[in-house]
Amino acid sequence: MSQGFKGKPWYNFDPDTSVCRIGKQAAGRQLDGRTWDEFPEGKKTDALTQF
C-alpha cells in the first residue's frame, strides 16, 4: 500500500479504484462545489393515531 492523505494508506480495490480513509471531519459536506445538508424526509404520522 502506498501513502495517501496525510500519510494514511491507500486501498486498491481494482486497477481503476483506490480509496483512502480520511474521516468525517476532513471529508466535509462539499461535493462538486455544492454543500449537501439535506436529510431524508421521514414518514409523517398523526400522534393520536399511533396508539
Side-chain angles (χ1 to χ4, degrees):
M1 283 185 273
S2 62
Q3 294 298 311
F5 183 77
K6 293 188 177 181
K8 297 188 180 202
W10 283 101
Y11 300 96
N12 297 312
F13 291 104
D14 57 47
D16 297 327
T17 307
S18 297
V19 296
C20 179
R21 295 189 67 129
I22 60 172
K24 291 191 287 185
Q25 191 72 27
R29 298 181 317 235
Q30 292 277 328
L31 180 63
D32 296 332
R34 179 174 174 217
T35 301
W36 294 85
D37 291 333
E38 290 84 15
F39 288 95
E41 288 189 28
K43 184 176 178 183
K44 296 181 181 181
T45 60
D46 187 12
L48 298 176
T49 60
Q50 289 181 348
F51 299 102

